[in-house]
């Protein structure tokens, strides 16, 4: 099994250039489930960035 790159809401927000709140709302709208957790941070697959970017465009 290959290691999948994961990102947090903050990383996605920084990558796209929007606020964390907008990313959280887009993730809720798309009904995307986290692939893991580190502490209290939800981790998402890196391919989520494109989906969120399209939703916010």
């Amino acid at each position: 099994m290959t290691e999948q790159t994961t990102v947090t809401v903050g990383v996605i927000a920084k990558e796209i250039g929007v606020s964390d709140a907008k990313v959280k709302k887009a993730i809720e709208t798309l009904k995307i489930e986290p692939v893991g957790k580190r502490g209290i941070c939800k981790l998402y697959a890196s391919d989520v960035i494109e989906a969120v970017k399209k939703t916010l465009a």
Side-chain angles (χ1 to χ4, degrees):
M1 190 159 106
T2 59
E3 183 68 28
Q4 186 175 16
T5 305
T6 57
V7 291
T8 63
V9 169
V11 171
I12 296 169
K14 186 182 277 188
E15 182 80 23
I16 298 173
V18 297
S19 69
D20 290 9
K22 285 186 178 182
V23 172
K24 286 180 185 177
K25 183 124 177 108
I27 287 172
E28 285 177 18
T29 301
L30 295 168
K31 294 180 173 51
I32 297 171
E33 292 296 319
V35 294
K37 252 185 147 182
R38 184 177 302 132
I40 61 168
C41 293
K42 293 178 183 173
L43 300 173
Y44 297 93
S46 58
D47 58 353
V48 168
I49 296 172
E50 270 309 307
V52 170
K53 191 184 286 186
K54 286 178 185 174
T55 301
L56 296 174

